[in-house]
Amino acid sequence: MAAERLLADSQHEFISALTHAEAPVPDDLTDRPVKRFNVYRNNVRTSLIGAVSAQFPVCKRLVGQAFFDAMAAVFVTSHPPKTRVLMQYGNTFAAFVRGFAPARSVPYLGDIAALEWAHSQSYHAADARALQPEDFAAVPPEAWAGARFELHPAVRWVRSAWPVLSIWHTNTHDAEVNRIPLDQGGEDVLITRPDLDVTLRTVPPGGLAFVERIAQGATLEGAATAAGAAAESFDLAANLSGLIGAGALIGFRLATQQDIGQDIDPHHAGPHGPRTEEH
C-alpha cells in the first residue's frame, strides 16, 4: 500500500509539473537537464491547448485566437486530461468557460462550448438504424400511451437562454458571419446523427423535457405529461414526429406483449410488423 501511494504521489507531482509552467522539476528527475524537461513541458501544454482549440472552433472564432489560447492555457492547467484519447478531452470545458471571469462579456460562450462538445460526441457515437415511419404501421392506437422508446446513441441536447444554434450556424457555415440578435430568445437544440452527418435543430418548448423523460425510460404518456408541465404549448404529435424525422429513435416496446402479439424490433420485421427488444 505504501509503495502504491508513493507511486501515485510521484505521478501526481509529475503531471502537476507538466501542466504548471512555474512548477519545479520533480525531485526524481533532477539528474536530467532542467532545460530538457521544460521543452517537454512546453510541448505537452502546446499539444493540449491545440486539442482544445480543435474541439471548439466556434468559441475560438467568437473571442479570437489570442484570447482563446490564453483561456485554454488556464483550462489545461486546472483540468488536465484524464484519458489518453485527446478527442475525448474537453468534457468540462463548457462549465469552465461559464465560470471564467474574463469571458463574462460573451455570456453565451459557455453554451456554445456545450453545443460544440455535444456535436463532437454525437459525431463519434456508435451507429444504429433509426426507426422509420413504416416501423410503426402495426402498432394499434391504444398501445401508444404505454410505449417506451430508445434513443439513438448519437442523440445529445443542449438547453440555452441564448440563440446558440443560430450563432453556431453562422460562424460555421456562412462566409460572412451574420449578426444574431441576442434578444431573439433562447434555443433548445437537439443533436443527432442518423447517418454519416451530424444534424442540429431547435426543438419547441417542452421538447427537451420530452426527450429527457424518454431517455430515462418513461412511457410516451409519462414523457408527454412531463413535457406538458414544462410547456403548456407542448404538442405531442409534432414532437414525436420530429424525433422520428430526425432519426433520433432506434427502438420501442409496448406496455404488454398482448397489444400486438409479440415484441417489437425495428431491425426484424415479422408477420405483425417490427419487433423490438427491451432497453
Side-chain angles (χ1 to χ4, degrees):
M1 184 65 70
E4 292 177 355
R5 181 174 294 278
L6 181 63
L7 176 60
D9 290 345
S10 178
Q11 290 174 333
H12 177 76
E13 180 186 9
F14 184 81
I15 293 172
S16 180
L18 278 181
T19 55
H20 292 76
E22 301 80 11
V25 175
D27 293 338
D28 54 355
L29 295 180
T30 53
D31 60 326
R32 301 188 181 186
V34 173
K35 183 181 293 185
R36 186 177 301 174
F37 181 80
N38 284 337
V39 169
Y40 178 52
R41 170 160 51 192
N42 183 67
N43 288 341
V44 169
R45 284 171 56 81
T46 300
S47 296
L48 292 179
I49 292 171
V52 175
S53 180
Q55 286 277 24
F56 302 97
V58 173
C59 286
K60 180 173 62 177
R61 186 171 189 178
L62 288 169
V63 298
Q65 182 79 55
F67 184 93
F68 186 90
D69 285 352
M71 180 170 64
V74 177
F75 174 74
V76 302
T77 297
S78 56
H79 296 76
K82 299 182 183 302
T83 173
R84 301 175 185 176
V85 184
L86 284 184
M87 73 176 185
Q88 297 176 2
Y89 182 46
N91 62 311
T92 60
F93 187 67
F96 167 81
V97 171
R98 292 183 181 116
F100 189 61
R104 287 176 183 167
S105 61
V106 190
Y108 50 85
L109 191 64
D111 289 0
I112 293 291
L115 188 63
E116 292 198 275
W117 180 255
H119 183 286
S120 173
Q121 294 303 292
S122 180
Y123 179 80
H124 293 291
D127 293 327
R129 175 192 178 274
L131 288 172
Q132 302 300 315
E134 57 267 24
D135 292 324
F136 301 96
V139 180
E142 64 272 14
W144 280 109
R148 300 176 192 271
F149 292 87
E150 182 179 1
L151 295 176
H152 193 290
V155 169
R156 300 290 188 277
W157 56 88
V158 172
R159 277 191 177 89
S160 181
W162 307 98
V164 288
L165 182 56
S166 299
I167 294 170
W168 176 88
H169 189 277
T170 190
N171 279 276
T172 301
H173 297 292
D174 295 338
E176 183 175 345
V177 176
N178 296 315
R179 181 182 177 278
I180 306 298
L182 297 182
D183 59 2
Q184 74 179 37
E187 292 177 342
D188 292 341
V189 186
L190 180 73
I191 302 99
T192 59
R193 200 210 67 236
D195 297 308
L196 297 178
D197 297 323
V198 177
T199 62
L200 301 89
R201 63 183 69 195
T202 56
V203 296
L208 290 192
F210 183 59
V211 173
E212 285 175 340
R213 292 294 288 134
I214 288 176
Q216 294 164 2
T219 63
L220 183 63
E221 182 177 39
T225 299
E232 292 184 1
S233 61
F234 176 76
D235 186 324
L236 173 58
N239 277 269
L240 182 58
S241 176
L243 291 182
I244 296 170
L249 304 175
I250 63 170
F252 69 96
R253 62 182 174 85
L254 302 181
T256 61
Q257 293 184 1
Q258 300 95 292
D259 287 325
I260 59 170
Q262 64 178 48
D263 291 337
I264 302 295
D265 184 349
H267 304 281
H268 301 91
H272 301 287
R275 196 184 73 202
T276 89
E277 302 170 353
E278 299 264 338
H279 59 83

